[in-house]
Amino acid sequence: MNEIKPSPTSLTCRICEDSKLYPFLDLGRMPIANAFLSNEQISQSEYTFRLQAGFCDSCTMVQLVETVDPNMLFHDHYAYFSSISSFMDEHFTGLAVTIGKDILYDDHLPVVEIGTNDGILLQKLAGFTPNAIGIEPSANVAAAARKKGLHVVSEFFNTDLAARLRAQHGQAQLVVGTNVLCHIPDLTGVARALEAMLDAEGVFIFEDPYLLEIMTQLAYDQIYDEHVYYFSVTSLSRLFEKHGLRIFRVEPIPVHGGSMRVYGCRMACSRPVEPVVTAHLTAEREYGLASLETYYAFAERVRHSRVSLTELLRELQGDGARVVGYAASSKGTVILNYCGIGPETLEYVCDNTPSKHGLFTPGTHIPIVPIDQFAENYPDYAFVLAWNHLKEISAKEQTFREQGGKFISHIPTARIT
Ligand code: JHZ
Ligand code: SAH
Ligand code: ZN
């Protein structure tokens, strides 16, 4: 493993480098979102950093002020397995079919997936091309993907790896990455790597949480160590255009609480820019995504949201209700730490990822238990810490509902559903 560097604090934009970054939201000191703790670890001190989001008024990129070294986040044991959600599985089937039908054009040219995780998308892509390569630095999830017979390189994607891939396999007809681009601090390096490895008619596709959805839904829990950037079509277009690339299509997608699928290519590629791109640029300008005031107003709404959630939980506790957490998500770490919710409020957090069982939530030390424990003795309320999966979870937990159980969600404001 590479040497772990101290967290850099940046008050300059990571994209423009010389322009100022304006911090607008401070969520306080925060542990690593996916650093679930063992019984021994809860008595030891935890690594924390100051979780703040900032806005660059030059390129409009919203980003973390202080970042955590990726070697601390994505190494031998990464806690999140993409295959845990059946809804996401269907979503990736749809993406693979779109790629197979509309994007791929030459079986000899490789398809490269960045952030393959346990191979959920790569396996589907392998049904459309004989030449699919996955890039996945976290060893445990990469191993899960290899078990499916997939070709996975266990490294971080960067300019150096892109040059080696191009030398070994030739230029790519597609580079695709879901929920990974916003995780890579050196975005300029990614843009250069794309420019270097894409074929003249090659396409890149990225899916990431969409800034406009985060703002409108008040989804502040998308802000955590792994998400270094919060993209708009405006900020991404400016970044790519600096490096000879352009966006030709965007599609809002209803995953992870509101994401954007962005399609791009080299500047000289034959694909025309579709009207939907301009429509989004206009909508973003009209919402005020280029103005610092919009972000200050968002931060104010986040502070109100914390008050409404803690008041609701206090009220339920006062009534003697049993409340538990449902889904030990990364977002949960942000909500629980920012709102100061611990084991005195939530009896446990249940989750369907076996490797999280027996561990404790980062910073707040709530025990994580299998879903079976929830079903054995239903509580009165289940606070859904992966609100993006509320529909899927609610459908699975019909019996809980039938027996009078209720879910709590805090997005966009605290409510019982
Ligand atoms: P979920 C992760 O976010 C991290 P997280 C990462 N940074 C990112 O961007 C997205 O994924 C892609 C549990 N669960 O998907 C399983 C149930 O218990 O919102 C997981 O522990 N029952 C890469 O962690 C957690 O929720 C269920 O029925 O916020 C996943 O949360 C379902 C559907 C999930 O991702
Ligand atoms: N694509 C999957 C996984 C998202 S989780 C999905 O949408 O569900 C993000 C994944 O990206 C993790 O498995 C992490 O190890 C990986 N990752 C982080 N930085 C990366 C980089 N620089 N290059 C390639 N993968 C990276
Ligand atoms: Zn900038």
Side-chain angles (χ1 to χ4, degrees):
M1 202 208 282
N2 298 343
E3 186 198 341
I4 292 171
K5 294 171 231 95
S7 301
T9 304
S10 166
L11 285 178
T12 53
C13 171
R14 280 183 189 78
I15 309 297
C16 309
E17 286 171 357
D18 55 353
S19 47
K20 199 166 171 330
L21 193 61
Y22 295 87
F24 62 86
L25 175 67
D26 188 351
L27 296 172
R29 291 211 71 81
M30 194 63 64
I32 290 176
N34 269 309
F36 299 99
L37 305 164
S38 66
N39 206 11
E40 298 79 66
Q41 285 169 322
I42 51 173
S43 53
Q44 296 161 12
S45 79
E46 280 173 80
Y47 177 94
T48 61
F49 72 107
R50 190 163 170 201
L51 182 57
Q52 272 184 293
F55 165 71
C56 169
D57 69 352
S58 173
C59 73
T60 78
M61 188 67 85
V62 173
Q63 55 200 279
L64 291 185
V65 175
E66 181 179 337
T67 58
V68 176
D69 184 345
N71 289 296
M72 280 181 77
L73 307 179
F74 312 113
H75 47 89
D76 24 346
H77 282 286
Y78 182 55
Y80 179 75
F81 282 71
S82 300
S83 297
I84 43 85
S85 158
S86 54
F87 176 72
M88 287 307 296
D89 190 70
E90 281 168 37
H91 169 74
F92 288 124
T93 301
L95 173 57
V97 169
T98 301
I99 288 172
K101 277 208 310 227
D102 298 348
I103 304 293
L104 301 186
Y105 56 90
D106 185 342
D107 266 357
H108 297 100
L109 302 182
V111 167
V112 176
E113 192 206 1
I114 309 173
T116 295
N117 197 274
D118 59 10
I120 188 166
L121 174 62
L122 195 66
Q123 189 171 35
K124 299 174 195 298
L125 291 175
F128 291 94
T129 169
N131 213 348
I133 305 165
I135 314 296
E136 176 46 64
S138 301
N140 62 326
V141 288
R146 284 204 192 95
K147 264 199 185 151
K148 297 173 180 167
L150 300 167
H151 176 180
V152 182
V153 179
S154 203
E155 287 186 46
F156 285 95
F157 180 76
N158 52 29
T159 41
D160 170 57
L161 178 60
R164 279 184 281 132
L165 288 172
R166 185 189 149 151
Q168 281 168 26
H169 304 279
Q171 283 179 304
Q173 57 175 328
L174 171 70
V175 177
V176 57
T178 62
N179 303 296
V180 66
L181 187 66
C182 71
H183 294 61
I184 305 182
D186 182 15
L187 271 193
T188 298
V190 174
R192 287 203 184 113
L194 289 174
E195 216 277 328
M197 71 184 294
L198 274 183
D199 182 51
E201 288 296 309
V203 168
F204 62 84
I205 301 179
F206 291 110
E207 288 182 8
D208 289 280
Y210 181 41
L211 179 62
L212 202 51
E213 287 286 347
I214 294 175
M215 307 279 291
T216 51
Q217 295 198 64
L218 209 52
Y220 68 86
D221 53 1
Q222 288 284 15
I223 300 171
Y224 56 90
D225 48 16
E226 292 182 20
H227 293 170
V228 181
Y229 299 99
Y230 307 88
F231 298 136
S232 62
V233 179
T234 311
S235 61
L236 265 186
S237 301
R238 289 188 190 176
L239 165 79
F240 289 135
E241 283 167 17
K242 269 179 35 186
H243 299 280
L245 304 166
R246 61 181 169 81
I247 293 174
F248 66 85
R249 180 186 303 159
V250 295
E251 282 167 4
I253 45 172
V255 300
H256 290 295
S259 293
M260 185 63 88
R261 181 182 292 167
V262 169
Y263 297 71
C265 57
R266 286 171 176 282
M267 208 53 93
C269 162
S270 64
R271 289 178 183 270
V273 176
E274 297 176 9
V276 64
V277 178
T278 323
H280 274 87
L281 293 173
T282 306
E284 290 176 359
R285 196 177 49 247
E286 285 172 355
Y287 185 84
L289 286 191
S291 153
L292 183 57
E293 277 62 47
T294 309
Y295 298 95
Y296 285 143
F298 169 74
E300 190 55 30
R301 286 161 58 221
V302 170
R303 289 187 283 271
H304 284 300
S305 165
R306 166 163 68 175
V307 173
S308 76
L309 175 63
T310 48
E311 275 177 359
L312 173 65
L313 292 173
R314 207 175 306 126
E315 223 172 87
L316 297 177
Q317 238 184 330
D319 294 345
R322 271 183 69 220
V323 188
V324 307
Y326 199 114
S329 64
S330 319
K331 295 179 289 289
T333 299
V334 180
I335 309 161
L336 298 175
N337 282 280
Y338 175 60
C339 299
I341 301 164
E344 69 296 334
T345 308
L346 302 182
E347 202 174 299
Y348 56 74
V349 176
C350 61
D351 193 282
N352 68 356
T353 314
S355 55
K356 291 184 186 176
H357 301 155
L359 301 180
F360 295 81
T361 56
T364 49
H365 303 179
I366 307 172
I368 303 170
V369 305
I371 305 286
D372 293 354
Q373 191 164 325
F374 175 73
E376 272 159 23
N377 179 15
Y378 285 130
D380 302 302
Y381 295 92
F383 175 25
V384 181
L385 299 169
W387 51 274
N388 46 310
H389 296 303
L390 183 59
K391 218 167 142 196
E392 179 172 345
I393 291 171
S394 180
K396 276 184 198 163
E397 301 297 352
Q398 275 306 325
T399 320
F400 168 59
R401 280 189 173 286
E402 281 158 20
Q403 296 192 8
K406 293 202 165 55
F407 287 109
I408 299 169
S409 183
H410 74 298
I411 295 289
T413 47
R415 64 183 203 284
I416 295 169
T417 77

